């Protein structure tokens, strides 16, 4: 099942919620968004949020939050890997993956924290 997301340069013309969507072509067709504005997603991708099944027919997605009492933010992501065998899945080095992800997250957020501290 091939999935698509909005191209980076197209995101400015649509609701911010669509910039986070990774969906099959039928979703984008229902919105009237042409394939030229979409990028095909690889078998390994990151979705924004964590999906929860509430009941047989209902689900919810937790995205992020900020706590004023803790002065803390939380952003939730899900790594999706399509067409992976159980053997390959069992070989995933989770600590190494987390170490690499930490580098990227730190590179992204540390400048924001430094800018905030200069304002106040």
């Amino acid at each position: 099942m091939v999935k698509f997301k909005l191209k980076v340069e197209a995101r400015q013309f649509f609701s911010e919620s669509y910039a986070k969507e990774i969906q099959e072509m039928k979703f984008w067709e229902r919105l009237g968004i042409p394939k030229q504005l979409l990028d095909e997603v690889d078998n390994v991708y990151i979705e924004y949020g964590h999906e929860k099944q509430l009941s047989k027919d209902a689900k919810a997605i937790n995205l992020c939050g900020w706590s004023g009492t803790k002065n803390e933010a939380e952003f939730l992501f899900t790594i999706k890997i399509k067409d992976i065998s159980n053997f390959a899945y069992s070989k995933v080095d989770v600590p190494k993956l987390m170490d690499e992800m930490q580098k990227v997250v730190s590179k992204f957020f540390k400048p924001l924290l430094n800018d905030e501290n200069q304002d106040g």
Side-chain angles (χ1 to χ4, degrees):
M1 167 183 351
V2 179
K3 293 194 175 189
F4 297 87
K5 64 180 180 178
L6 278 174
K7 290 184 176 186
V8 173
E9 56 273 13
R11 292 178 189 166
Q12 63 184 320
F13 301 108
F14 298 94
S15 165
E16 186 179 330
S17 64
Y18 294 138
K20 302 170 189 134
E21 292 288 341
I22 296 174
Q23 298 288 341
E24 294 177 44
M25 183 54 75
K26 63 185 176 185
F27 171 85
W28 300 108
E29 288 172 343
R30 275 195 305 264
L31 296 172
I33 297 175
K35 190 172 182 174
Q36 300 90 314
L37 299 180
L38 304 172
D39 281 329
E40 189 173 322
V41 176
D42 293 332
N43 281 356
V44 179
Y45 59 93
I46 298 173
E47 285 186 345
Y48 182 45
H50 287 179
E51 189 174 290
K52 283 177 145 180
Q53 195 71 37
L54 301 176
S55 67
K56 181 182 174 192
D57 299 323
K59 57 185 168 183
I61 298 177
N62 292 333
L63 299 175
C64 63
W66 182 78
S67 168
T69 57
K70 295 180 181 178
N71 207 27
E72 179 179 270
E74 177 178 79
F75 296 86
L76 304 174
F77 298 92
T78 302
I79 299 170
K80 297 278 189 155
I81 302 138
K82 301 291 183 185
D83 300 322
I84 186 171
S85 69
N86 187 275
F87 177 78
Y89 167 80
S90 68
K91 298 283 184 189
V92 175
D93 186 343
V94 174
K96 184 176 180 180
L97 174 61
M98 289 176 65
D99 289 343
E100 291 300 312
M101 291 172 65
Q102 182 63 55
K103 292 174 189 174
V104 172
V105 170
S106 292
K107 182 179 176 182
F108 186 86
F109 282 103
K110 280 190 177 184
L112 295 174
L113 298 173
N114 291 335
D115 286 349
E116 184 177 276
N117 291 334
Q118 291 175 2
D119 290 342

